[in-house]
Amino acid sequence: MEDFSDAPLTRSTSPSDFWGARWDRPVASALKRGAYRPLRQAGFSRNTASILTFGLSGLIHEYVLHFMSLRRHSGGWPAVVDSFRMGQPYVYAQSPTKGRQGLFFLINGLLLVAVRLLEGQEWCSQWRDCFSRLPRPVRTMLVLLLVLPIGHWFTDEYIKSSFFAD
């Protein structure tokens, strides 16, 4: 079994490297097999398939966050299986803001495609050469700076939902 991650915060050299090879590798692998490759086989371009796969990841995160935010009136971690029993009401510990997970992943998909498109431009070749000569920690920092402005869209909802309180 592969490791969950491979030093994404210290070794990533591009958004594609961060999401595809380093961060949450089991989920990345499942999304490649279950969404990206079938979309490519259906005739979608590499970039369209990437954006749609990130959009799907956002929808999955929205769905998971919904259930992770539910709590019984008595408190504690919800037993999702029990949520289907009648007479045991669940409430949101803090209702998550809908759409932020989806937007976070959709924007990351767009950033990944934008970087790919820029790398393919002839006028970027000099920049590409310069970027590739930068020390890995500097390249990683630049990659993380792409996500930093919207990173709170992902983490805030888990914090507000008291996910980490249990």
Side-chain angles (χ1 to χ4, degrees), residues 15 18 30 45-46 63 68 78 80 89-90 100 118-119 121 137 143 145 151 159:
F18 180 90
S45 72
R46 178 182 182 205
Y63 181 76
M68 294 172 85
V80 174
Y90 281 81
R100 286 190 175 182
L118 284 173
E119 287 176 345
Q121 300 298 314
V143 169
L145 285 173
I159 293 167

Side-chain angles (χ1 to χ4, degrees), residues 112-161:
L112 181 140
V113 167
V115 169
R116 277 187 196 156
L117 291 173
L118 284 173
E119 287 176 345
Q121 300 298 314
E122 184 60 37
W123 57 269
C124 277
S125 64
Q126 194 173 27
W127 179 83
R128 253 190 336 268
D129 294 340
C130 177
F131 187 76
S132 65
R133 285 189 221 125
L134 291 172
R136 181 179 287 237
V138 173
R139 286 185 287 166
T140 299
M141 179 190 67
L142 293 172
V143 169
L144 295 177
L145 285 173
L146 285 174
V147 180
L148 192 58
I150 61 168
H152 64 94
W153 290 353
F154 181 78
T155 57
D156 284 358
E157 300 310 313
Y158 290 97
I159 293 167
K160 286 188 334 189
S161 73

Side-chain angles (χ1 to χ4, degrees), residues 76-90:
W77 180 253
V80 174
V81 175
D82 289 342
S83 70
F84 297 105
R85 287 194 216 165
M86 299 301 287
Q88 295 186 357
Y90 281 81

